[in-house]
């Protein structure tokens, strides 16, 4: 091999390249120890938090979509305030049964 791997070093065989890379710090540091050295993770709490987030996203999305439908019924459908309120309540009751 006549090509130079690094400007400061002559051409080396593959085992020499690896040694040179380790010595000069040009190789990634591969640590074999644990990534986290702090407290251990509480997986039960993590699962509860994740499930609460999913439930909040699901129910929050339902309420926002139903609110938009009720507003459209009130503003564009001529249902007025009472009609849109009834649409909102009825669709929320239906949503609770559908999203259980």
């Amino acid at each position: 091999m006549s090509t130079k791997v690094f400007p400061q070093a002559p051409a080396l065989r593959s085992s020499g390249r690896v040694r040179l890379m380790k010595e000069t710090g040009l190789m990634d540091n591969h640590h074999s120890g644990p990534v986290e050295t702090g407290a251990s993770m509480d997986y039960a709490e993590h699962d509860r938090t994740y499930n609460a987030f999913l439930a909040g996203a699901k129910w929050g999305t339902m309420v926002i979509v139903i609110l938009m439908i009720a507003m459209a019924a009130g503003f564009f459908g001529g249902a007025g305030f009472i009609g849109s309120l009834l649409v909102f309540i009825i669709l929320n009751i239906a949503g609770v049964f559908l999203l259980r």
Side-chain angles (χ1 to χ4, degrees), residues 2-82:
S2 63
T3 61
K4 291 186 178 182
V5 177
F6 301 105
Q8 73 271 16
L12 301 169
R13 283 186 250 160
S14 63
S15 64
R17 281 190 207 134
V18 172
R19 183 180 51 77
L20 181 64
M21 290 171 73
K22 286 181 181 177
E23 289 172 359
T24 58
L26 296 174
M27 190 171 188
D28 287 342
N29 294 328
H30 297 286
H31 301 288
S32 61
V35 174
E36 170 183 307
T37 58
S40 62
M41 187 170 166
D42 186 5
Y43 288 103
E45 182 63 29
H46 175 77
D47 286 340
R48 283 192 298 270
T49 303
Y50 181 69
N51 289 332
F53 172 78
L54 287 181
K58 177 176 72 170
W59 295 107
T61 302
M62 181 198 77
V63 169
I64 295 298
V65 168
I66 291 173
L67 179 65
M68 298 303 247
I69 293 170
M71 288 172 63
F75 291 136
F76 303 117
F81 178 74
I82 301 296

